Amino acid sequence: VQLQASGGGSVQAGDSLRLACTVSGYTFSRFHMGWFRQAPGKEREFVGAISRSGAMTYYADSVKGRFTISRDNDQKRSYLLMNNLKPEDTADYFCAAKDTILTDNRRRIVEGDYSYWGQGTQVTVSS
């Protein structure tokens, strides 16, 4: 099972970026997908998640209304579209997969509930 995040870069505040997470090695549609980020000197934090079918999405309050998660089960990809980026969005972004319940508000945001992780892709937002 491999997850690979891509699409990071350096942008100006107000710009947009779309990250992609490509998955291989298992049936993609079996898993819920999550996105996390880790800013320099800080702990990794939950950004958002999407259910197996794509019908349900969840977001951290800090990104709600600006970020959108989607997925393409045929292409085995999840996407994180980030609009109106702010300097505080600067971080390494990670995608992750889980097969446990997604509707539990507490478990959804916990790193340990995700079984598979990709490497990070760096996003830098300048003011």
Side-chain angles (χ1 to χ4, degrees):
V1 177
Q2 291 186 328
L3 287 72
Q4 184 165 353
S6 61
S10 297
V11 298
Q12 297 292 314
D15 286 350
S16 298
L17 272 179
R18 189 178 77 158
L19 307 184
C21 178
T22 303
V23 177
S24 61
Y26 69 91
T27 304
F28 180 63
S29 59
R30 288 180 51 195
F31 291 83
H32 308 299
M33 297 298 297
W35 286 88
F36 289 74
R37 67 185 181 185
Q38 187 168 20
K42 295 187 177 181
E43 294 189 352
R44 194 176 299 184
E45 65 174 2
F46 173 79
V47 173
I50 186 167
S51 61
R52 294 183 182 95
S53 67
M56 300 298 295
T57 53
Y58 305 88
Y59 299 95
D61 288 343
S62 59
V63 306
K64 199 172 294 182
R66 299 187 298 122
F67 289 14
T68 303
I69 297 175
S70 61
R71 65 188 293 160
D72 184 331
N73 284 351
D74 291 333
Q75 295 296 320
K76 294 188 175 182
R77 287 182 180 169
S78 176
Y79 300 97
L80 178 64
L81 174 62
M82 306 182 292
N83 292 324
N84 191 22
L85 281 161
K86 303 176 181 181
E88 52 263 43
D89 295 318
T90 295
D92 288 329
Y93 283 73
F94 301 84
C95 58
K98 63 182 292 206
D99 59 1
T100 54
I101 188 170
L102 190 66
T103 54
D104 186 305
N105 291 337
R106 183 184 61 83
R107 291 174 64 179
R108 180 169 59 243
I109 67 172
V110 174
E111 290 183 59
D113 218 48
Y114 291 77
S115 301
Y116 304 101
W117 289 81
Q119 90 295 349
T121 185
Q122 188 173 43
V123 173
T124 302
V125 185
S126 302
S127 58

